[in-house]
Amino acid sequence: MESAREDIFSFFNDLHSFPELGFAEERTAAKLADALEAGGFTVERNVGGTTGVIGTLKGAAPGPVFALRADMDALPIDEDSGHPFSSKNRGVMHACGHDAHSTIVLFAALLAARAGIAKGTLKVLFQPAEELLTGALAMLKSGRLSDVDEMVGLHLRPIQEARLDEASPALMHGSSYVVNIAVEGRSAHGARPHLGVNAVDAAAAIVNAINAIRVDPRVSHSFKTTSIMAGGKASNIIPDSAKLVVDVRAQTNEVMQEILEKIALAAEYGAKSVGGAAAVESTKGVPAAEYDPALTEVMRLAAEDVLGSSLPPIVSPGGEDFHFFATEGKIKTAYLALGADLEPGLHSEKMRFDPEALIIGTKILCALLARKVL
Ligand SMILES: [Zn+2]
Ligand SMILES: [Zn+2]
């Protein structure tokens, strides 16, 4: 492990210098795939027609398929962090630490391969486009993960959630969705409003109906209309259409499902109440974390192997497309929240963290692999 220190730092610095946006992680993917191949993994590139990479290493004895997953993509941000290896791709920055996740997963896999897999199969997944929230689904659609029994992921945490030398075996992401609603009315002259159906009236009725939705207050949640577009052609024309956007958050998938169903009803009946019509056009988002208790317990033990203690589960208001692997892929999952003294925050152009977190993260995943496949 200690001999890998400098390799880990230099691999990370190189990824950090050349960030790439979702589904365009060509250089990043090639570098990761080459390193896996050199480490003895069978490597599949361009998984599902994307930049995704899967490495596979079979153990001496048969057993379950265990997967490590990291995201590869960066953000459309101009880096201003003062990092000595700041982005050389203008307007693109690793501001969410996906370069750190890729480095940690890669080196944990390489060190495990060097030790030799005793039982089962180790798979390594480098997925594209987490920030677009569509990379994980693309990997599942490829069918190349259908044999995976268990999968773990990780994310660096902002300093307010965890310090360097701290980690939690469960980062409790909530579910977040954006709902687009289309409203249909009927145009008329402003002097004869009774001959039309005002889409603004319908939109207002929908907003009120949405605001009157009630769900279990013990599960934290919120929903709010964040955009209304209607009219504007002329002040004396009754507008015949409107578009609404609703941002929805919920800490569990059950409550999210209930809110989404009630929003669809609020749209339909809100519009009907003024003689119009409305329907949900699209619903896009990510599910909440649903972890496997037994695998999370092994993650806790692995964190404690390295750090001596672990933090309780961390509730995060953010979303992650990793959770599709559990909800859609039916894979048992766990997810490490890794402290890194990261400041001032994720997605900031000034984001920096203590690189020692790369070593700690690699050690924790190595401890996990020692308990699962070595
Ligand atoms: Zn992010
Ligand atoms: Zn991220």
Side-chain angles (χ1 to χ4, degrees), residues 295-360:
L295 186 56
T296 299
E297 176 62 9
V298 182
M299 183 69 97
R300 185 181 71 80
L301 295 172
E304 293 184 1
D305 286 344
V306 176
L307 300 172
S309 64
S310 63
L311 296 177
I314 294 175
V315 175
S316 168
E320 227 295 16
D321 78 349
F322 176 79
H323 305 301
F324 282 120
F325 293 118
T327 59
E328 300 293 313
K330 307 296 171 206
I331 297 170
K332 291 176 180 171
T333 61
Y335 195 98
L336 178 72
L338 183 64
D341 281 356
L342 185 154
E343 289 185 291
L346 297 165
H347 290 214
S348 162
E349 73 281 0
K350 297 200 184 299
M351 193 278 268
R352 291 282 295 267
F353 65 90
D354 191 324
E356 198 59 30
L358 299 169
I359 308 298
I360 296 167

Side-chain angles (χ1 to χ4, degrees), residues 226-306:
T226 53
S227 169
I228 298 180
M229 307 251 282
K233 280 184 207 157
S235 57
N236 60 357
I237 298 176
I238 304 292
D240 62 354
S241 69
K243 300 261 187 201
L244 285 85
V245 179
V246 188
D247 176 283
V248 189
R249 313 271 159 167
Q251 205 54 45
T252 68
N253 291 318
E254 291 71 27
V255 168
M256 174 58 78
Q257 201 49 44
E258 186 181 344
I259 295 170
L260 293 177
E261 283 165 13
K262 287 180 171 173
I263 286 176
L265 289 172
E268 183 186 346
Y269 290 101
K272 270 186 185 163
S273 72
V274 296
V280 171
E281 270 190 326
S282 68
T283 306
K284 288 196 188 109
V286 288
E290 272 183 21
Y291 298 130
D292 181 68
L295 186 56
T296 299
E297 176 62 9
V298 182
M299 183 69 97
R300 185 181 71 80
L301 295 172
E304 293 184 1
D305 286 344
V306 176

Side-chain angles (χ1 to χ4, degrees), residues 14 18 82 93 97 99 102 112 135 141 144 187 189 192 194 196-197 202-203 219 268 279 285 317-318 349 353-354 365:
D14 180 79
F18 297 100
M93 176 190 177
D99 46 354
S102 284
K141 246 179 89 183
R144 311 306 297 167
S187 190
H189 194 291
R192 296 172 204 88
H194 60 295
V197 173
V219 178
E268 183 186 346
E349 73 281 0
F353 65 90
D354 191 324
L365 291 192

Side-chain angles (χ1 to χ4, degrees), residues 20-25 51 69-75 96-98 101 126-139 154-155 173 176 285-287 318-325 335 346-347:
E20 296 168 302
L21 295 175
F23 291 124
E25 308 94 332
T51 50
R69 170 273 197 183
D71 34 21
M72 300 189 287
D73 57 322
L75 288 154
C96 203
H98 298 187
H101 310 156
F126 294 110
Q127 77 152 73
E130 191 285 322
E131 296 291 354
L132 306 178
L133 304 178
T134 47
L137 284 173
M139 296 298 95
L154 81 159
H155 210 295
H173 290 114
S176 67
V286 288
E320 227 295 16
D321 78 349
F322 176 79
H323 305 301
F324 282 120
F325 293 118
Y335 195 98
L346 297 165
H347 290 214

